[in-house]
Amino acid sequence: MCGIAGWVSFHRELKEQQQLIEAMTDTMANRGPDDRGVWIDRHVGLGHRRLAVIDLPGGVQPMHAQTNDGLVVIVYSGETYNYRELRAELRKCGHQFATDSDTEVVLQGYLEWGEGLVDRLNGMYAFAIWDARVSQLVMIRDRMGIKPFYYFETEDGVLFGSEPKAILANPLASRVVGPDGLRELFSLVKAPGAAIWEGMRELPPGHLAVVDSHGLRQRSYWTLESTDHTDDRQTTVDHVRQLLNDIVSRQLVADVPRCTLLSGGLDSSALTALAARALGASGEALRSFAVDFPDQEKNFQPHDVSPTVDRPYAHAMAKHAGCNHRDVMLEAAALSAPEVRRAAVEAEGFPVGLGDRENSLYLLFKAVREHSTVALSGEAADELFGGYPWFHDQRSQGDTFPWLVGSHFDTAALLAEDLSRTLDIPAYVRDQFQMATALAPFKDDEPELERRMRQVSHMHLTRVVPRLLDRKDRLSMAVGLEVRVPFCDHRLVEYVFNIPWALKTYDGREKSILRGAVRDLLPQAVAERVKSGYPGSFDPAYASAIQAQANDLLTEDHPALELCNRALIHNATRAPHDNIDPLQRAALERALDVAAWFDLYAPVIKPT
């Protein structure tokens, strides 16, 4: 896992811009603490920061291949899980290899198959290849968007990077956030390809783009399709188990310590059980980690997305699987520390507004990194198998994104009144919902319920999962931890997406197929546990701390408050710290995140 950056300019001499290209590259030092490389030619500069995971001595980038017609150079971030099979296939085609790295396999694969390489890769990746033979840059992102890729078109080429801050380090890029950027920032709908910075775009999942002297051309190479599912229930359950066995085995390949992030929920427990069994075959005990808070059971406030605390389930699963387990206990003082919030906001690049959940995830990853370099995590299982409560009630039948129904993240209430009126977030959400529903693939003969649930599943996989993956990638890579996501393997996604809804819920509850596939590996209490989301802190000391910090913003009249509802923040700072309502808490978190973002990124806000 690494960070990449680059600049292509067909009218400039980029050999004179080495210092700037190095500056772009070094914005991602946390993503790649182990090595740094820059390659510059007349019209192209490529930068790479490396986190060494496979073939530690080899795999140095940018990596070159000299052909009879010219040089081909790659900067690559991610992992290709089937690189061994591809390497064997390429050797039969006459290719020779100087390293054991997957990067070299991808480079040689491009020489053999060109853009057709994308159809052969299994993994998480974002990479760029400069092909001097035809003077063009090829930019490629994995099917599910696990690894990030941003670009900014210029008058004579393109800037690109794993994160926006690599692009923003170049003065050609603007720090302006316009109305559409603000809508994307505050709407929680994740429009495909959108980036909050004016002129910047995200290469969508499953896409590639080619840049040459004629401009930039982008195309999709993979998308979810609607196909017939002919397997019966037992065959379906068995096939999901077979896929998971193969996926976890592949994603455990690394030359560094590995672990799982274990909450005691079905998703993380399934991965932990499979990983523990795979590593146990060679006598290795699996490390596992869970986030926890002092007095969590006393302070816990259940709700429909998080009805139970994690600790007893995580401990039961760790004991059952024979894990070397550790709880990462986070005190309110650490969670509320301004430097922690600043680090989380800097990592994510924008103010998420979830406060303690973002801060705790950052601190969890930081603690895990002291012991492991690679972690397996359960992102996307709920979206894929139907885990959220709203999959199973009337919220899935409405005329907006189900996860927004009843949410306390009421953007209209959190924003300054004039800004809220100008942006008209509800209209933006309606437009995005219509676009999302229109893109869902159907079969002509599908019953209405099946069609609707396929629509709901598709919008979760294309609107929710990318945001979760972006969050996971930014916060983990900020501390040099590579987090792999087995449930995002495209083979599993394609198969499960097409399982009929009645079969997905054959036992009358959430995630029936996944539970059936791994039940024999889990303690009964874990297998039967109802979906419970990533935990937050309910410690009144945390609430009291953020009240004081928000009050300081009001006192100093911080410029970030121009975006926020001052009256709501003022009232929230004076509410009893052990009885702040969800909207007030959201207002405090949003204000503190926006202030940190202003201090770090100095955005130029243009709401009209």
Side-chain angles (χ1 to χ4, degrees), residues 46-175:
L46 304 177
H48 186 264
R49 295 291 310 212
R50 186 185 185 207
L51 175 65
V53 172
I54 293 176
D55 187 15
L56 306 191
V60 175
Q61 299 185 49
M63 187 175 287
H64 318 79
Q66 184 65 57
T67 74
N68 293 332
D69 299 315
L71 196 65
V72 180
V73 188
I74 185 172
V75 283
Y76 173 91
S77 171
E79 306 292 345
T80 297
Y81 300 126
N82 64 334
Y83 78 100
R84 290 171 172 168
E85 296 96 316
L86 293 176
R87 184 169 58 199
E89 187 176 353
L90 288 164
R91 278 178 171 151
K92 291 179 181 178
C93 296
H95 292 264
Q96 297 180 341
F97 293 86
T99 75
D100 291 325
S101 73
D102 58 340
T103 302
E104 187 178 15
V105 172
V106 173
L107 177 57
Q108 295 290 334
Y110 173 79
L111 296 181
E112 180 67 27
W113 301 305
E115 293 178 12
L117 164 71
V118 295
D119 299 320
R120 299 171 180 263
L121 297 178
N122 177 308
M124 55 178 189
Y125 44 82
F127 59 93
I129 296 176
W130 173 252
D131 192 338
R133 300 173 300 179
V134 288
S135 295
Q136 70 176 24
L137 183 78
V138 181
M139 306 185 295
I140 295 173
R141 191 178 184 199
D142 67 69
R143 295 172 179 84
M144 292 295 291
I146 305 169
K147 301 313 297 176
F149 199 120
Y150 292 85
Y151 67 88
F152 183 96
E153 287 189 77
T154 65
E155 290 184 354
D156 66 336
V158 70
L159 306 169
F160 70 86
S162 294
E163 297 182 18
K165 61 186 176 184
I167 296 171
L168 294 174
N170 191 306
L172 292 178
S174 167
R175 288 183 178 265

Side-chain angles (χ1 to χ4, degrees), residues 488-599:
C488 286
D489 184 292
H490 71 279
R491 298 169 299 164
L492 181 68
V493 173
E494 290 171 345
Y495 186 76
V496 176
F497 177 70
N498 282 293
I499 298 174
W501 183 245
L503 182 53
K504 276 187 181 177
T505 55
Y506 68 80
D507 62 357
R509 56 178 304 188
E510 82 286 352
K511 293 188 281 196
S512 307
I513 295 294
L514 178 58
R515 183 175 294 102
V518 299
R519 181 185 289 276
D520 63 305
L521 300 175
L522 310 177
Q524 183 176 354
V526 172
E528 297 299 331
R529 186 187 183 193
V530 175
K531 157 71 184 173
S532 197
Y534 181 78
S537 171
F538 297 92
D539 190 337
Y542 176 81
S544 179
I546 64 172
Q547 282 180 304
Q549 292 167 17
N551 190 62
D552 289 343
L553 295 182
L554 291 169
T555 300
E556 68 180 85
D557 195 23
H558 195 286
L561 295 177
E562 294 178 9
L563 304 184
C564 304
N565 184 332
R566 288 173 183 257
L568 181 58
I569 297 167
H570 179 272
N571 292 336
T573 62
R574 283 149 180 78
H577 61 259
D578 58 350
N579 192 32
I580 301 177
D581 70 44
L583 183 61
Q584 290 176 327
R585 172 114 171 209
L588 296 174
E589 300 283 20
R590 172 63 57 81
L592 292 170
D593 272 13
V594 172
W597 180 56
F598 266 56
D599 293 343

Side-chain angles (χ1 to χ4, degrees), residues 377-454:
S377 183
E379 272 89 356
D382 288 306
E383 293 77 14
L384 184 58
F385 288 97
Y388 295 115
W390 50 77
F391 272 93
H392 307 275
D393 61 31
Q394 69 277 7
R395 285 174 286 184
S396 67
Q397 307 302 314
D399 57 358
T400 191
F401 295 103
W403 57 89
L404 296 181
V405 179
S407 169
H408 60 265
F409 289 98
D410 182 351
T411 299
L414 295 175
L415 292 178
E417 184 177 353
D418 289 347
L419 180 63
S420 179
R421 188 181 307 110
T422 298
L423 296 180
D424 194 0
I425 299 292
Y428 180 73
V429 170
R430 286 194 298 272
D431 290 344
Q432 291 298 320
F433 179 74
Q434 291 174 2
M435 291 172 58
T437 54
L439 290 174
F442 300 122
K443 294 185 298 182
D444 292 338
D445 58 346
E446 281 186 323
E448 180 58 32
L449 176 62
E450 189 63 36
R451 176 182 290 252
R452 179 57 179 166
M453 296 315 297
R454 185 184 292 278

Side-chain angles (χ1 to χ4, degrees), residues 150-333:
Y150 292 85
Y151 67 88
F152 183 96
E153 287 189 77
T154 65
E155 290 184 354
D156 66 336
V158 70
L159 306 169
F160 70 86
S162 294
E163 297 182 18
K165 61 186 176 184
I167 296 171
L168 294 174
N170 191 306
L172 292 178
S174 167
R175 288 183 178 265
V176 170
V177 180
D180 286 339
L182 290 169
R183 293 181 181 108
E184 180 66 18
L185 186 61
F186 295 126
S187 63
L188 297 179
V189 298
K190 187 62 175 175
I196 64 172
W197 303 100
E198 199 94 326
M200 194 180 299
R201 298 289 294 170
E202 184 179 43
L203 187 63
H207 279 67
L208 67 81
V210 176
V211 181
D212 59 22
S213 59
H214 300 292
L216 185 148
R217 303 177 302 282
Q218 180 177 290
R219 70 173 178 88
S220 168
Y221 68 85
W222 181 85
T223 189
L224 280 169
E225 296 179 351
S226 177
T227 60
D228 290 328
H229 184 87
T230 58
D231 293 342
D232 62 22
R233 186 174 84 182
Q234 192 59 51
T235 304
T236 299
V237 169
D238 290 345
H239 187 61
V240 168
R241 173 65 169 269
Q242 292 166 7
L243 282 171
L244 287 172
N245 281 333
D246 180 68
I247 293 164
V248 170
S249 177
R250 289 179 183 274
Q251 296 197 18
L252 285 171
V253 174
D255 297 328
V256 292
R258 298 148 293 183
C259 70
T260 59
L261 305 177
L262 175 61
S263 68
L266 179 61
D267 317 334
S268 66
S269 296
L271 297 182
T272 297
L274 292 166
R277 173 177 286 195
L279 294 183
S282 59
E284 181 180 348
L286 175 69
R287 291 182 175 95
S288 60
F289 296 86
V291 67
D292 204 353
F293 311 95
D295 298 322
Q296 180 74 339
E297 292 181 330
K298 182 181 76 173
N299 297 324
F300 183 72
Q301 300 171 20
H303 53 92
D304 68 340
V305 179
S306 293
T308 55
V309 296
D310 287 347
R311 187 185 304 159
Y313 298 97
H315 287 186
M317 187 63 231
K319 181 179 179 181
H320 185 78
C323 295
N324 179 2
H325 181 77
R326 180 189 173 197
D327 292 327
V328 178
M329 193 68 66
L330 300 177
E331 302 278 350

